[in-house]
Amino acid sequence: MPFTYRLLAAFPLAALGIVLSACQTERPAAVTANRAALPTMERVAIAANSCWFKSGDAAFKPYRLAPELNSFSGRPRILAVPRNSPESRPMLVVQAEGNPARLDAFGPMMGGPEAERIKRDVLRWARGASGC
């Protein structure tokens, strides 16, 4: 088939494709929170600061938040450190790694009575919730 005939034969197919695509309804893009380690830990840090530390929560009153989000190890994290001795060993470490983020929480507070609540809060915030 000569070139001009192939071009003419292809034109109706291209026109049909354009017409059909114009008839389709456009679906909105799904709104999902970025699931990489850094954005996940940023969400967790903001919510933890608000809900645990600034709210006067009795379990966190003796501690202060020490965010370490700019990590060269690829593991952004937040720490709960003694309020009057921030250079001391952290009582809680929450960190994330990878994309999608894999979360880990450890330290003395994870062996105490608040461990389940900490775990629930962190997982909820990591998924994008912001409430206490």
Side-chain angles (χ1 to χ4, degrees):
M1 193 188 292
F3 176 73
T4 55
Y5 289 119
R6 276 187 267 157
L7 184 61
L8 289 175
F11 180 74
L13 290 176
L16 180 62
I18 292 170
V19 169
L20 288 177
S21 68
C23 294
Q24 293 179 351
T25 59
E26 212 173 298
R27 286 186 235 171
V31 178
T32 58
N34 189 333
R35 295 174 35 101
L38 180 58
T40 297
M41 284 310 301
E42 287 171 343
R43 287 190 302 275
V44 171
I46 289 168
N49 190 41
S50 174
C51 296
W52 289 346
F53 298 97
K54 300 255 181 192
S55 70
D57 186 315
F60 289 88
K61 199 161 191 76
Y63 309 107
R64 73 166 53 166
L65 176 67
E68 295 182 351
L69 299 176
N70 293 330
S71 167
F72 293 108
S73 68
R75 287 188 213 117
R77 63 188 191 164
I78 61 170
L79 313 172
V81 296
R83 178 171 294 286
N84 298 323
S85 182
E87 69 283 347
S88 296
R89 186 176 130 216
M91 299 307 287
L92 173 66
V93 177
V94 179
Q95 67 183 20
E97 181 177 16
N99 187 4
R102 291 176 306 282
L103 293 162
D104 193 15
F106 54 92
M109 289 184 80
M110 291 307 292
E114 298 299 323
E116 279 305 310
R117 179 174 70 117
I118 292 168
K119 180 180 171 183
R120 278 192 316 270
D121 287 348
V122 167
L123 290 175
R124 189 175 69 250
W125 298 330
R127 287 190 300 265
S130 59
C132 300

